[in-house]
Amino acid sequence: MGSLPPSLDLPPPPSKNPQHERVSETTLFNLFKAQQGHLNYFFQNLDLSQALSFTETLLNSQGTIFFSGVGKSGFVANKISQTLVSLGIRSAFLSPLDALHGDIGALSATDILVLFSKSGSTEELLRLIPCARAKGVYLISVTSVPNNALANACDMNVHLPLERELCPFDLAPVTSTAIQMVFGDTVAIALMGARNLTKDQYAANHPAGRIGKSLIFKVKDVMKKQDELPVCKEGDLIMEQLVELTRKGCGCLLVIDEEYHLLGTFTDGDLRRTLKASGEAIFKLTVGEMCNRKPRTIGPDAMAVEAMQKMESPPSAVQFLPVIDRQNTLIGIVTLHGLVSAGL
């Protein structure tokens, strides 16, 4: 492969002291192994009865499940809250600072407030507790240090076993936040299963993202139809259909009979192969003589993501699928370009 023109040469990544600041593959491998060991310690020592009580309490909540935390634990609490929201569960993040300046008004006696803190001694959360309790909220702490002030002040505590932080000083919260995230997201999926959330319900909460589109969009939502279809009859001469082959932007002709039943397809690739094999004789050939009589097809109610999978399936990928009804009547065409443009 040739080198890029000088104007396209990419600069090297920035480096301060390449002679002194390096990370070896062995060092990185050992760090991953050490983190794996710390996570295994969490899994092996987690009290499942506590985890189950926590999960069932959230499942039976009649109000909103609020999450709170400070610093990195706050980021984790916010993320877990957003995961629950995406599953259709009423949840929100409550900043402990903003709560003390008016936002605590969002709390009611039917709500649950989950407080994430590694040490259980976070001052902002401790100051929040008496105010939240005055609102009648059920308080749950999720901590990693035994016998801490936050756990003693709450109605329920979940202890997340922490062997140590991966940080060489045992200070930077890189393992404690990892187990908080694993715990919270695992509970979220448990709630998802207990509530029997369906794919359609999940997709309804993600209408604009690729997740939602892959679960919501059907072929009929993304296909071309009617005047957009590059159709012809099997008796039409190939050379007379070149304009139709190119102007609709599908890369093919859809061969139909008088009742609009699909008879086959003729692609621009078929045109090149026919020209190479027949030469000047192509001027006398009809589309019906050279078309593919057994093309891949799909129904209008199939999921759009299924159409993409069908296009990419062996023995060779295709760029389009004719859309037919149960009577083999042509009603549309779905193209790979159209699926990609739709965000799939």
Side-chain angles (χ1 to χ4, degrees):
M1 182 175 180
S3 60
L4 293 172
S7 61
L8 296 180
D9 283 345
L10 299 176
S15 176
K16 293 188 298 182
N17 297 304
Q19 291 81 17
H20 300 97
E21 296 186 7
R22 293 183 181 276
V23 177
S24 70
E25 183 176 317
T26 300
T27 298
L28 194 59
F29 174 79
N30 289 337
L31 285 171
F32 278 122
K33 289 293 290 183
Q35 184 75 311
Q36 181 184 40
H38 299 330
L39 294 177
N40 286 339
Y41 177 87
F42 162 72
F43 291 123
Q44 292 164 4
N45 292 278
L46 177 65
D47 187 335
L48 284 178
S49 64
Q50 285 187 356
L52 181 59
S53 296
F54 174 78
T55 305
E56 290 179 335
T57 300
L58 267 54
L59 180 63
N60 296 324
S61 172
Q62 299 299 308
T64 301
I65 304 170
F66 286 91
F67 287 81
S68 190
V70 176
K72 308 300 186 298
S73 293
F75 292 136
V76 174
N78 194 358
K79 190 274 176 189
I80 295 169
S81 173
Q82 291 303 309
T83 298
L84 294 186
V85 170
S86 75
L87 300 179
I89 299 172
R90 280 185 295 167
S91 182
F93 177 76
L94 181 67
S95 164
L97 178 61
D98 293 338
L100 298 178
H101 290 273
D103 283 4
I104 200 169
L107 299 179
S108 70
T110 60
D111 297 333
I112 295 172
L113 177 58
V114 182
L115 306 170
F116 274 81
S117 170
K118 170 189 171 181
S119 66
S121 59
T122 308
E123 291 184 9
E124 295 88 342
L125 297 181
L126 290 172
R127 287 201 299 269
L128 176 60
I129 284 182
C131 304
R133 190 171 292 286
K135 303 280 288 186
V137 176
Y138 189 82
L139 297 168
I140 304 177
S141 60
V142 181
T143 61
S144 290
V145 174
N147 301 317
N148 60 78
L150 196 64
N152 293 333
C154 288
D155 302 301
M156 175 188 293
N157 177 66
V158 179
H159 175 70
L160 303 185
L162 175 66
E163 186 175 29
R164 59 159 290 143
E165 301 286 2
L166 183 64
C167 166
F169 309 122
D170 195 19
L171 293 175
V174 291
T175 303
S176 56
T177 51
I179 64 176
Q180 286 174 346
M181 190 77 78
V182 168
F183 174 78
D185 283 345
T186 303
V187 168
I189 298 305
L191 296 174
M192 180 182 182
R195 291 163 62 94
N196 296 315
L197 189 73
T198 66
K199 276 189 176 182
D200 289 341
Q201 291 171 327
Y202 185 73
N205 296 331
H206 300 77
R210 191 168 184 227
I211 295 174
K213 289 177 180 178
S214 67
L215 295 174
I216 292 176
F217 280 16
K218 293 186 177 181
V219 168
K220 62 185 177 184
D221 298 320
V222 295
M223 72 181 186
K224 293 185 176 184
K225 45 194 171 185
Q226 299 174 349
D227 293 340
E228 299 177 292
L229 303 182
V231 297
C232 69
K233 303 296 177 57
E234 61 180 331
D236 293 339
L237 293 175
I238 292 175
M239 300 307 292
E240 293 178 353
Q241 294 298 317
L242 293 185
V243 173
E244 186 72 5
L245 177 63
T246 56
R247 75 185 181 94
K248 296 294 178 67
C250 297
C252 69
L253 292 169
L254 303 174
V255 188
I256 58 173
D257 64 14
E258 297 295 335
E259 285 77 36
Y260 238 72
H261 295 128
L262 181 68
L263 302 178
T265 61
F266 185 82
T267 68
D268 48 11
D270 293 328
L271 175 63
R272 291 191 295 271
R273 287 185 288 271
T274 302
L275 182 59
K276 183 177 180 180
S278 304
E280 293 184 2
I282 194 174
F283 289 96
K284 298 181 180 179
L285 292 175
T286 64
V287 178
E289 291 176 280
M290 304 306 296
C291 72
N292 174 16
R293 297 278 178 169
K294 295 183 178 180
R296 298 179 204 178
T297 61
I298 198 164
D301 292 319
M303 302 306 295
V305 68
E306 180 185 338
M308 180 172 284
Q309 293 168 351
K310 200 166 188 178
M311 288 182 193
E312 297 173 344
S313 63
S316 60
V318 297
Q319 300 293 311
F320 66 91
L321 292 175
V323 184
I324 58 175
D325 63 15
R326 293 182 180 179
Q327 285 73 45
N328 196 43
T329 302
L330 179 68
I331 57 177
I333 184 171
V334 59
T335 65
L336 183 59
H337 180 267
L339 292 174
V340 173
S341 298
L344 294 164

